[in-house]
Amino acid sequence: MEKIIITTSFGLESLIKRQLIEEGYEDFEVLNGKIILKGNLDDIGYLNLNLREADRVFLEIASFEAKTFEQLFENINKIDWFDYLDIDDNFIVNARAYKSKLFSIPSIQSISEKAIINSLKRKYKISTFKKTGPRVQIEVMLEKNIVSLCLDTSGDGLHKRGYREGSVKAPLRENLAAALVDLSFYKDDRFLFDGFCGSGTILIEAARKERNIVPGLDRDFDFTSFKFYDKKRFEKIKKEAYQKINYDKKINILGSDISKKCN
């Protein structure tokens, strides 16, 4: 079983918990700003595709204590990174720290990247990695001196649904709009009106939910390019999501806005 970390804005954890229960998940823990879940690689595809209020979905590959930069380097260096990264993968190291002795984000990122490169050299026998391939974002999370080393399976934040063409600025993130819809307990037998709809984010999220169009159907995810992931597995999950869409479902939604750009 894999350890999956779902991050979200503070206060939205209960909505993700409710959706996970509706989707049949049981083995998870709700914390501040995140949900820890036990699952498999298929769950990574399913969660990225379906979660309405989440920010990102991470796959943890290691966890250890690090109170010094030497401990951080050695623990990351001993991981066989060639199991996760191809020779040309464009790997990017991000970091965050909370109540830890190691708190300098640039130093954490730099030392972690050096350790990863040192590990890759054992396999690929080269000194320079060009990083011309697919993006792989590596997240180094430190909390109270415990490091959670993760791969960002989402890539771009999950609020980026992929259905916008541009033109009108959307000040409200799509996952927050989805949260407002869920908190309102909107259903298809009720009327939803937004008199200040702007680019219509709330209305779009409500309509897509009622017609069973999953949030991530129109976008790409970084995990599909991971060397250890079989992309065909995700294609099957995505095909099943398309088959569940109810295009003919009648919904009562209306919006208006004073701005002509929103027409």
Side-chain angles (χ1 to χ4, degrees):
M1 296 294 283
E2 308 287 352
K3 183 176 180 180
I4 300 170
I5 301 175
I6 304 165
T7 59
T8 187
S9 300
F10 287 103
L12 300 186
E13 303 92 345
S14 62
L15 295 178
I16 295 181
K17 176 183 176 181
R18 188 168 75 192
Q19 185 178 359
L20 288 174
I21 293 172
E22 290 173 353
E23 301 285 354
Y25 289 95
E26 297 177 351
D27 192 4
F28 62 87
E29 179 184 7
V30 180
L31 303 172
N32 288 331
K34 62 184 177 181
I35 292 90
I36 311 296
L37 182 146
K38 293 292 181 67
N40 54 44
L41 293 181
D42 283 340
D43 289 314
I44 286 176
Y46 191 84
L47 293 169
N48 271 294
L49 196 65
N50 283 272
L51 290 178
R52 293 188 293 271
E53 285 87 17
D55 287 337
R56 293 178 184 275
V57 177
F58 295 95
L59 173 64
E60 184 180 87
I61 59 175
S63 180
F64 52 85
E65 184 180 59
K67 294 182 179 180
T68 67
F69 285 117
E70 289 78 10
Q71 289 178 326
L72 179 67
F73 180 91
E74 290 302 326
N75 278 287
I76 295 178
N77 176 56
K78 70 183 182 183
I79 296 170
D80 293 330
W81 282 97
F82 45 82
D83 288 338
Y84 303 100
L85 298 172
D86 268 328
I87 191 170
D88 63 341
D89 278 347
N90 179 24
F91 63 92
I92 302 165
V93 180
N94 301 308
R96 62 182 80 180
Y98 175 72
K99 291 186 178 180
S100 293
K101 289 189 176 181
L102 304 181
F103 56 84
S104 171
I105 300 302
S107 297
I108 294 169
Q109 291 172 313
S110 176
I111 290 171
S112 299
E113 183 169 359
K114 288 179 181 177
I116 294 169
I117 291 174
N118 199 61
S119 172
L120 291 174
K121 286 179 180 178
R122 295 197 297 266
K123 171 70 174 181
Y124 297 121
K125 310 300 181 182
I126 59 174
S127 57
T128 303
F129 293 86
K130 296 182 179 180
K131 297 186 178 183
T132 56
R135 178 180 63 179
V136 181
Q137 297 188 91
I138 300 165
E139 196 82 9
V140 185
M141 307 178 186
L142 285 92
E143 184 171 350
K144 298 178 181 178
N145 302 319
I146 301 299
V147 177
S148 178
L149 201 60
C150 301
L151 299 180
D152 182 348
T153 68
S154 302
D156 294 330
L158 292 180
H159 70 281
K160 295 185 177 181
R161 309 296 206 210
Y163 56 69
R164 291 195 182 281
E165 296 181 356
S167 68
V168 180
K169 185 178 179 181
L172 180 65
R173 287 192 170 195
E174 285 79 354
N175 54 350
L176 294 179
L180 291 175
V181 173
D182 281 352
L183 288 169
S184 73
F185 294 97
Y186 167 72
K187 295 295 181 183
D188 58 351
D189 59 350
R190 300 171 63 189
F191 192 88
L192 178 62
F193 172 68
D194 187 353
F196 308 92
C197 69
S199 56
T201 309
I202 294 174
L203 302 177
I204 293 171
E205 289 297 319
R208 287 171 69 91
K209 179 186 177 184
E210 286 307 308
R211 287 190 170 168
N212 207 28
I213 304 174
V214 296
L217 203 57
D218 303 307
R219 55 161 287 171
D220 297 321
F221 303 97
D222 280 9
F223 72 86
T224 59
S225 298
F226 289 176
K227 67 175 294 184
F228 58 88
Y229 187 85
D230 183 0
K231 193 173 182 178
K232 291 181 180 178
R233 299 165 72 130
F234 183 59
E235 291 174 355
K236 180 181 178 181
I237 296 170
K238 204 169 183 178
K239 182 179 179 180
E240 291 172 352
Y242 272 112
Q243 292 172 344
K244 293 177 181 178
I245 297 175
N246 186 353
Y247 291 106
D248 298 323
K249 185 174 184 179
K250 183 179 179 181
I251 49 178
N252 299 305
I253 290 177
L254 179 64
S256 64
D257 196 275
I258 195 172
S259 174
K260 294 181 180 180
K261 293 181 180 180
C262 299
N263 292 338

